Amino acid sequence: MQRQIDVRREETRAIHSKCDELERMLADLRKSSAVSLVLPSNLITPDIHELKEKQQDTDFPSLTMDDLMKWSAEVPLNQNK
């Protein structure tokens, strides 16, 4: 009976140790995610007006999805024989 109690105590210590380790990992993840949430949104996603201005500044014509699909149909596929 005493042996069973000792085994359960050891198992409990191991579980608590693993739990402490997981709590430390979770705290680190929370810290790293909090840092990324502090960044201004314009650094993460570009402003749509800036993209339109940059597009107008280029010498390239603007392409539609239809243009792209037509072009992709014309491109030969490399088939290794």
Side-chain angles (χ1 to χ4, degrees), residues 12-31:
T12 302
R13 280 190 207 107
I15 290 171
H16 283 279
S17 175
K18 184 64 176 178
C19 185
D20 292 341
E21 179 185 343
L22 291 172
E23 285 178 348
R24 282 190 297 274
M25 290 172 62
L26 179 59
D28 291 342
L29 287 172
R30 284 185 175 153
K31 285 179 189 175

Side-chain angles (χ1 to χ4, degrees), residues 28-41:
D28 291 342
L29 287 172
R30 284 185 175 153
K31 285 179 189 175
S32 67
S33 68
V35 169
S36 67
L37 293 176
V38 172
L39 292 175
S41 62

